[in-house]
Amino acid sequence: MRQPNLSDVALFAAVVEAGGFRAAAQKRGMSASSLSDCMRRLESDLGLRLLNRTTRSVTPTSAGARLLERLRPALEEISAAFNDLDDESQRPVGTLKLNVPVPVARHLMPGLLERFLKRYPGVNVEVVMDNSFIDVIGAGYDAGVRYEESLAKDMIAVPIGPRRQRFVAAASPAYLAAHGTPQHPSELTDHQLLGHRFENGKVGVFEFEKHGRTLRIPPRGQLVTSSHDLRIQSAINGLGIVYIFEEFLREALDDGRLVPILEDWWQPFDGPFLYYHGRRHMPSPLRAFIDFIKAEAQGEDG
């Protein structure tokens, strides 16, 4: 086995991350054919096939996957070392990859990222919406945002966004005129409740809380969906009662398309947290983002 070229090793990781030669080549500013040549040279130096190539995809072989697992920490350390140079000049550069749930992506990130990206023009941000709890490092993200999750000991959690939020129940004026306005959660069993199905297949319950008492009402309506938009619009259309993040309904509540119900039973909960790996060398875009959200939480503008 010949000593491999370290540039080829980094390119191998880029191909696997991008899922193909063309995408990786575009990110690296080189041709796909040149990148393919580098991979053949690396495989020749190692005497091992690292990639399975088909007309539709490029995936690592078992040997390639094992190699990448060992290489990734070292490559991250090298990248972090260069990013530290950017930190010294107070101009972080690079890409920040975030994995966030739908409510955060819709109602928190737009304003937050507008302010952050204007302050740090050298940083690019990639946001992927995902409601399930994941290993952000293993999935290739710099950080994630989640609600009230049990985080691993090597993860650090930082508050991001509002610290208290609520689930609210509402229905259209037409629905309430036709079916009556419930005065207690127990009366919801006689109503059309618009259900939400999670990624794991479970349907969420309507959970209300008052004076330390919690009532859970399984939705038994005509509609169950994984789409927040469909549930909200269905409520506006008079198909039933929706129970969802307050931010999702604010516009419809303000303009009267929906009417709040059971307000004294609405359940509050803690706001979201940014979580990330407590590694020694942190990429400069992530460090800048953490400092930014901490400053925002303290009401700083500098």
Side-chain angles (χ1 to χ4, degrees), residues 222-236:
Q222 291 180 283
L223 176 64
V224 175
T225 176
S226 62
S227 168
H228 295 305
D229 288 338
L230 181 54
R231 274 198 301 154
I232 295 168
Q233 189 58 51
S234 295
I236 293 172

Side-chain angles (χ1 to χ4, degrees), residues 83-110:
N83 283 333
D84 284 345
L85 298 176
D86 297 320
D87 289 344
E88 292 177 3
S89 63
Q90 299 300 307
R91 293 193 303 270
V93 297
T95 298
L96 174 65
K97 297 183 67 175
L98 301 174
N99 186 285
V100 305
V102 171
V104 171
R106 283 196 174 173
H107 298 283
L108 173 61
M109 299 308 291

Side-chain angles (χ1 to χ4, degrees), residues 8-299:
D8 292 346
V9 172
L11 290 174
F12 163 65
V15 170
V16 175
E17 181 180 353
F21 289 105
R22 181 173 300 177
Q26 289 177 343
K27 289 185 177 181
R28 293 283 174 156
M30 60 191 300
S31 69
S33 59
S34 296
L35 183 53
S36 181
D37 290 339
C38 292
M39 292 304 94
R40 280 193 289 269
R41 180 173 61 210
L42 178 61
E43 290 176 326
S44 176
D45 289 341
L46 296 175
L48 289 170
R49 185 162 58 89
L50 300 177
L51 296 169
N52 291 317
R53 302 164 175 83
T54 70
T55 56
R56 294 186 176 182
S57 66
V58 176
T59 57
T61 63
S62 59
R66 290 195 304 271
L67 176 63
L68 186 58
E69 184 178 1
R70 295 288 301 275
L71 288 174
R72 184 172 278 124
L75 292 172
E76 289 178 350
E77 289 291 326
I78 293 171
S79 177
F82 284 109
N83 283 333
D84 284 345
L85 298 176
D86 297 320
D87 289 344
E88 292 177 3
S89 63
Q90 299 300 307
R91 293 193 303 270
V93 297
T95 298
L96 174 65
K97 297 183 67 175
L98 301 174
N99 186 285
V100 305
V102 171
V104 171
R106 283 196 174 173
H107 298 283
L108 173 61
M109 299 308 291
L112 194 67
L113 289 180
E114 177 189 6
R115 299 186 294 275
F116 175 71
L117 291 174
K118 285 181 178 178
R119 182 174 299 184
Y120 298 104
V123 174
N124 301 318
V125 177
E126 180 179 335
V127 177
V128 172
M129 292 193 300
D130 184 354
N131 288 324
S132 60
F133 184 72
I134 67 167
D135 173 7
V136 289
I137 300 301
Y141 296 95
D142 295 299
V145 178
R146 289 297 182 272
Y147 286 91
E148 300 182 73
E149 295 286 356
S150 238
L151 302 179
K153 291 182 179 179
D154 61 348
M155 287 291 177
I156 299 174
V158 177
I160 181 173
R163 298 326 308 142
R164 294 296 283 173
Q165 294 180 274
R166 295 185 299 180
F167 285 111
V168 305
S172 71
Y175 176 87
L176 296 176
H179 301 278
T181 301
Q183 303 300 314
H184 190 276
S186 62
E187 298 175 20
L188 292 176
T189 55
D190 297 324
H191 284 267
Q192 288 286 325
L193 306 184
L194 303 172
H196 175 70
R197 189 176 296 280
F198 292 97
E199 284 88 345
N200 61 12
K202 294 183 179 179
V203 176
V205 299
F206 284 32
E207 188 169 294
F208 298 90
E209 183 179 331
K210 183 178 180 181
H211 302 318
R213 183 186 180 194
T214 300
L215 294 178
R216 297 177 176 86
I217 315 296
R220 294 191 179 93
Q222 291 180 283
L223 176 64
V224 175
T225 176
S226 62
S227 168
H228 295 305
D229 288 338
L230 181 54
R231 274 198 301 154
I232 295 168
Q233 189 58 51
S234 295
I236 293 172
N237 292 344
L239 292 183
I241 296 172
V242 65
Y243 192 50
I244 199 170
F245 283 84
E246 183 174 9
E247 290 83 358
F248 279 15
L249 300 185
R250 179 47 49 203
E251 184 177 335
L253 291 171
D254 288 345
D255 64 22
R257 287 177 294 161
L258 290 176
V259 177
I261 61 172
L262 301 170
E263 293 179 72
D264 54 344
W265 283 89
W266 288 355
Q267 186 181 53
F269 55 92
D270 290 336
F273 290 85
L274 179 82
Y275 70 100
Y276 57 95
H277 195 278
R279 55 193 174 189
R280 185 161 54 94
H281 292 297
M282 185 184 298
S284 63
L286 176 58
R287 179 177 292 132
F289 189 63
I290 293 169
D291 291 343
F292 173 79
I293 62 174
K294 286 181 177 179
E296 289 236 329
Q298 295 170 4

